[in-house]
């Protein structure tokens, strides 16, 4: 959730994501080592014992994860699992792998499901995007419920009895332990000082810490029983849960409130990105992209026509020759600063499919498509009406009509509205022969849609497609035409 809110650049986002993935099983393994040391005492060979525990845990996790992953891939690839059951079966497989791994080797289950997720996410044999969507929805529900269940065990009396030491412990974690660990782990890398500083102040603790601590606290209390020699250990174990929840509450609050402003201050992220990803690179699209870039927004153009992409690059645009529906676009292209997706290709089907695809990236509110070129199709050939994309413009301004207007000499124009030349003057000047595309105000881009027509006002800048040979030059305005 923090990554979605902060939207850091691709490099930092990848580091944060993978740290969040691998740190939980590592923490669980270390917890097992500490637990064994406390309960059974130091062995004659503590280092070798620890290395053996880690090696066996990782080996067990990798083997079981690989076996389950191969089984799932084969079942899906051979269509032995109905599509509507994929999410449930994957969930059952993950739970089964977790239970089996823990049964064979204590606390190895978290390693197993982590490796299982890594294998499934990086394989190229089956599509699992629908499973990931199921996981996202289920994760929100389960994590929220688990926090409530674990939080109900929090004893504020015990937390208060910890006194200033507990807050000192949290302060040291935030101000000393995290910065030192980041700087030491990134020695010799190409990570900049700004990136290191940002990573040093982003380490919220979460549900796995609460769950693991709760398990070990109960285990220590249960093993101690009524042994007088274990009374102090039991008292310490009772303090683990409240202190851990204090760590979670403070770190989430501190990092949640400061990470986004810090990222903006360090120029590493844009929490309100206004850039545009265009699908299509025809002449009028390139001119539109150039106009929007000239207003200070990030712009990226995607098309399969290399000639058009070359022309876009000659205009100074970020352009990639690729299919908008390919994995390459989502996985390899840096979308930092991009907040909108606009499908403008000549193919209605590609537009429909691409907005459905990128709705998961930018949300349905920020994906747009052109009106259908053939809106008069019959029910048997018409495209589905439940598209996730918002329709641009109003009326019949589809790709065919825009292209015909462009061939007739219409051009993209950027106009600053002033007191001397407002939108009414603009309308009269072009005798209503124009298409309003977008408005810009306070560094915010607003696209014209059929469900939310724009109302340009003085002080705004408008981007439009206008008929050439107008009398705009005789008016008091600031205009720039792209041709």
């Amino acid at each position: 959730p923090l990554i979605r809110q902060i939207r850091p650049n691709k490099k930092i986002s990848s580091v944060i994501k993978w740290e969040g993935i691998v740190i939980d099983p590592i923490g669980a393994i270390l917890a097992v080592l500490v637990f064994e040391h406390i309960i059974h005492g130091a062995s004659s060979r503590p280092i070798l014992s620890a290395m053996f525990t880690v090696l066996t845990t990782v080996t067990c996790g990798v083997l079981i994860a690989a076996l389950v992953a191969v089984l799932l891939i084969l079942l899906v690839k051979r269509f032995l699992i109905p599509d509507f059951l994929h999410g449930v079966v994957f969930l059952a497989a993950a739970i089964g792998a977790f239970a089996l791994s823990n049964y064979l080797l204590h606390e190895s289950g978290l390693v197993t499901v982590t490796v299982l997720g890594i294998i499934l996410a990086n394989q190229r044999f089956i599509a699992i995007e629908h499973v990931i969507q199921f996981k996202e929805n289920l994760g929100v529900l389960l994590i929220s419920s688990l926090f409530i269940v674990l939080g109900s065990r929090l004893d504020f009396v015990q937390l208060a009895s910890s006194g200033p030491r507990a807050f000192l412990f949290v302060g040291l974690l935030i101000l000393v332990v995290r910065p030192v660990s980041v700087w030491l782990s990134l020695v010799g890398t190409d990570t900049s000082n700004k990136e290191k500083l940002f990573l040093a102040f982003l380490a919220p603790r979460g549900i796995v810490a609460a769950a693991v601590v709760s398990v070990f606290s109960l285990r220590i209390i249960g093993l101690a029983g009524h042994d007088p020699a274990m009374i102090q250990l039991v008292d310490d174990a009772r303090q683990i849960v409240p202190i851990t929840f204090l760590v979670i509450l403070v770190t989430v609050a501190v990092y949640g409130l400061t990470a986004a402003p810090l990222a903006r201050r360090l120029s590493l992220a844009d929490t309100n990105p206004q850039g545009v990803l265009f699908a299509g690179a025809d002449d009028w699209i390139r001119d539109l992209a150039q106009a929007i870039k000239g207003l200070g927004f990030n712009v990226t153009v995607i098309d399969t026509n290399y000639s058009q992409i070359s022309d876009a690059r000659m205009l100074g645009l970020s352009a990639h020759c690729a299919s908008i529906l390919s994995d390459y676009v989502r996985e390899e292209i840096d979308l930092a600063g991009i907040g909108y997706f606009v499908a403008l290709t000549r193919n209605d089907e590609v537009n429909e499919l691409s907005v459905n695809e990128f709705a998961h990236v930018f949300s349905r509110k920020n994906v747009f498509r052109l009106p259908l070129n053939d809106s008069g199709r019959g029910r048997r050939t018409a495209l589905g009406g439940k598209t996730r994309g918002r329709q641009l413009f109003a009326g019949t301004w589809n790709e065919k009509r825009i292209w015909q207007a462009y061939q007739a000499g219409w051009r993209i124009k950027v106009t600053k509205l002033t007191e001397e030349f407002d939108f009414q003057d603009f309308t009269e000047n072009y005798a209503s022969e124009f298409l309003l595309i977008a408005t810009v105000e306070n560094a915010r881009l607003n696209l014209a849609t059929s469900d939310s027509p724009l109302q340009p006002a003085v002080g705004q800048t408008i981007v439009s497609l206008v008929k050439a040979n107008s009398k705009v030059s005789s008016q008091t305005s600031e205009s720039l035409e792209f041709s």
Side-chain angles (χ1 to χ4, degrees):
L2 273 177
I3 295 178
R4 293 194 187 100
Q5 177 188 349
I6 300 171
R7 297 180 69 91
N9 60 46
K10 189 177 182 67
K11 177 182 177 181
I12 294 299
S13 178
S14 179
V15 172
I16 296 172
K17 182 184 74 172
W18 281 104
E19 181 190 13
I21 290 173
V22 303
I23 201 170
D24 287 335
I26 291 174
I29 294 174
L30 293 177
V32 172
L33 296 177
V34 174
F35 174 79
E36 295 293 335
H37 178 82
I38 292 175
I39 298 300
H40 302 294
S43 65
S44 58
R45 295 181 178 179
I47 297 179
L48 292 178
S49 177
M51 292 178 60
F52 178 76
T53 301
V54 172
L55 180 61
T56 54
T57 301
V58 172
T59 302
C60 178
V62 170
L63 291 178
I64 295 178
L67 179 63
V68 174
V70 171
L71 180 61
L72 287 173
I73 292 172
L74 289 176
L75 291 175
V76 173
K77 193 173 183 180
R78 297 184 180 183
F79 307 103
L80 297 178
I81 305 175
D83 289 357
F84 70 95
L85 288 180
H86 282 183
V88 177
V89 171
F90 274 59
L91 174 63
I95 295 175
F98 180 86
L100 175 61
S101 185
N102 272 351
Y103 176 77
L104 295 176
L105 190 61
H106 186 59
E107 294 302 326
S108 63
L110 197 56
V111 177
T112 301
V113 294
T114 301
V115 175
L116 175 61
I118 293 174
I119 294 174
L120 291 175
N122 289 278
Q123 55 79 33
R124 292 293 181 267
F125 302 102
I126 59 174
I128 60 168
E129 282 77 9
H130 56 301
V131 179
I132 295 175
Q133 295 171 27
F134 173 78
K135 183 268 299 182
E136 292 286 345
N137 297 328
L138 190 64
V140 172
L141 176 63
L142 291 181
I143 291 176
S144 303
S145 302
L146 191 56
F147 258 121
I148 294 174
V149 172
L150 294 175
S152 64
R153 298 189 61 248
L154 181 60
D155 190 340
F156 286 97
V157 176
Q158 291 181 345
L159 181 59
S161 66
S162 301
R165 292 186 303 168
F167 289 93
L168 177 61
F169 174 70
V170 178
L172 290 174
L173 284 179
I174 295 174
L175 300 176
V176 178
V177 176
R178 176 63 178 181
V180 171
S181 65
V182 167
W183 249 267
L184 289 178
S185 62
L186 295 177
V187 170
T189 67
D190 60 351
T191 309
S192 67
N193 288 332
K194 285 185 177 181
E195 293 169 339
K196 291 179 182 178
L197 181 60
F198 177 70
L199 292 173
F201 288 94
L202 185 64
R205 270 61 173 186
I207 194 65
V208 174
V212 170
V213 163
S214 298
V215 169
F216 283 112
S217 176
L218 292 173
R219 192 70 58 84
I220 292 173
I221 294 173
L223 290 176
H226 301 285
D227 186 354
M230 303 288 284
I231 293 178
Q232 183 60 48
L233 180 60
V234 171
D235 290 339
D236 291 340
R238 296 185 191 278
Q239 294 290 330
I240 295 177
V241 173
I243 291 177
T244 301
F245 269 91
L246 178 65
V247 171
I248 293 172
L249 291 173
V250 174
T251 55
V252 169
V254 170
Y255 295 130
L257 293 173
T258 62
L262 179 62
R264 290 196 300 269
R265 186 68 179 269
L266 297 175
S267 301
L268 295 177
D270 186 356
T271 57
N272 185 29
Q274 295 290 303
V276 184
L277 174 63
F278 286 102
D282 286 335
D283 293 353
W284 73 274
I285 301 174
R286 298 196 300 271
D287 290 345
L288 175 60
Q290 188 182 17
I292 293 178
K293 180 183 178 182
L295 293 172
F297 300 101
N298 290 346
V299 172
T300 298
V301 178
I302 307 293
D303 200 293
T304 55
N305 188 312
Y306 185 77
S307 176
Q308 292 179 343
I309 291 298
S310 297
D311 292 340
R313 291 173 178 170
M314 291 293 292
L315 295 174
L317 299 173
S318 171
H320 301 268
C321 186
S323 169
I324 194 63
L325 299 174
S326 67
D327 292 336
Y328 168 82
V329 175
R330 286 172 297 156
E331 297 176 2
E332 301 297 333
I333 296 179
D334 189 358
L335 298 179
I338 301 294
Y340 301 108
F341 172 71
V342 182
L344 304 178
T345 73
R346 301 185 184 185
N347 190 307
D348 288 340
E349 285 79 5
V350 171
N351 291 340
E352 292 282 313
L353 289 172
S354 60
V355 294
N356 280 319
E357 189 74 21
F358 282 89
H360 306 301
V361 179
F362 300 107
S363 83
R364 289 186 297 172
K365 177 183 178 182
N366 298 323
V367 294
F368 305 85
R369 63 169 178 82
L370 285 171
L372 301 178
N373 282 322
D374 190 1
S375 58
R377 294 180 180 181
R379 187 163 65 92
R380 295 189 179 187
T381 58
L383 296 175
K386 295 183 179 179
T387 177
R388 294 174 181 246
R390 301 173 65 187
Q391 180 175 296
L392 291 167
F393 318 135
T396 59
W397 278 98
N398 54 31
E399 190 276 334
K400 286 183 179 179
R401 183 178 176 186
I402 293 175
W403 180 248
Q404 290 171 357
Y406 213 76
Q407 292 292 92
W410 290 46
R411 288 295 178 263
I412 298 293
K413 184 175 289 292
V414 176
T415 306
K416 174 74 173 181
L417 299 181
T418 64
E419 294 286 352
E420 295 78 15
F421 188 81
D422 58 16
F423 188 63
Q424 183 177 355
D425 296 326
F426 181 88
T427 303
E428 293 174 354
N429 181 80
Y430 288 102
S432 298
E433 292 185 307
F434 66 90
L435 171 64
L436 183 61
I437 298 176
T439 62
V440 177
E441 184 179 21
N442 298 326
R444 184 173 184 85
L445 181 68
N446 298 295
L447 296 172
T449 61
S450 59
D451 62 345
S452 182
L454 298 177
Q455 301 293 331
V458 172
Q460 295 181 349
T461 299
I462 62 174
V463 181
S464 57
L465 180 65
V466 302
K467 188 175 183 179
N469 303 321
S470 70
K471 53 183 179 180
V472 69
S473 59
S474 64
Q475 301 292 334
T476 304
S477 67
E478 298 178 22
S479 299
L480 182 62
E481 182 175 298
F482 291 83
S483 175

